[in-house]
Amino acid sequence: MALELAHENIWFDKWRVDDAERQFYENKSLAGRTGATGDGVSADVLNRITKIEGENSTLSKSVSYLEQRIIDLTKRLEALECGSSTTTAPAPATPKKSSEANDGENLLGADDDEE
């Protein structure tokens, strides 16, 4: 009897195919209602990703500009520091007046004349 059925064109597991087809069309109809694309990603998420990528590009340009400005300012500062030490003369040392006035006085403040 099994040999007789082997020649028949019978689909024994048709229920599996029917379930897969039903699930496919349900997912397709849900995607149409929620605004999702065929990949399962919603349009809102794609818009946000696009916006974030644009902001990331703008911020990357700003950071690279600021890095270049810092490098330029550091070079200018080094040039000013190196140039200023050779162009300005050091301040002359002034002698202490207190050492000249204390020639006749004791370090403890007592006068030699009183003794």
Side-chain angles (χ1 to χ4, degrees), residues 22-34:
R22 180 182 47 76
Q23 187 178 9
F24 170 77
Y25 285 113
E26 284 177 359
N27 289 341
K28 189 173 181 180
S29 68
L30 288 176
R33 279 188 256 146
T34 60

Side-chain angles (χ1 to χ4, degrees), residues 96-107:
K96 292 185 178 180
K97 296 178 183 178
S98 62
S99 64
E100 295 173 1
N102 291 336
D103 287 19
E105 296 181 12
N106 190 357
L107 292 177

Side-chain angles (χ1 to χ4, degrees), residues 31 36-42 46:
T37 62
D39 297 336
V41 179
S42 70
L46 289 176

Side-chain angles (χ1 to χ4, degrees), residues 30-105:
L30 288 176
R33 279 188 256 146
T34 60
T37 62
D39 297 336
V41 179
S42 70
D44 184 42
V45 172
L46 289 176
N47 290 338
R48 287 183 182 187
I49 289 174
T50 304
K51 182 180 174 184
I52 290 172
E53 286 176 346
E55 290 174 357
N56 186 24
S57 174
T58 304
L59 289 174
S60 295
K61 290 176 184 177
S62 298
V63 167
S64 64
Y65 171 76
L66 291 173
E67 286 176 342
Q68 187 60 42
R69 289 291 292 168
I70 289 172
I71 291 170
D72 293 342
L73 291 173
T74 304
K75 289 178 182 177
R76 285 181 61 192
L77 182 62
E78 289 174 356
L80 288 174
E81 287 176 348
C82 292
S84 66
S85 64
T86 58
T87 57
T88 59
T94 57
K96 292 185 178 180
K97 296 178 183 178
S98 62
S99 64
E100 295 173 1
N102 291 336
D103 287 19
E105 296 181 12

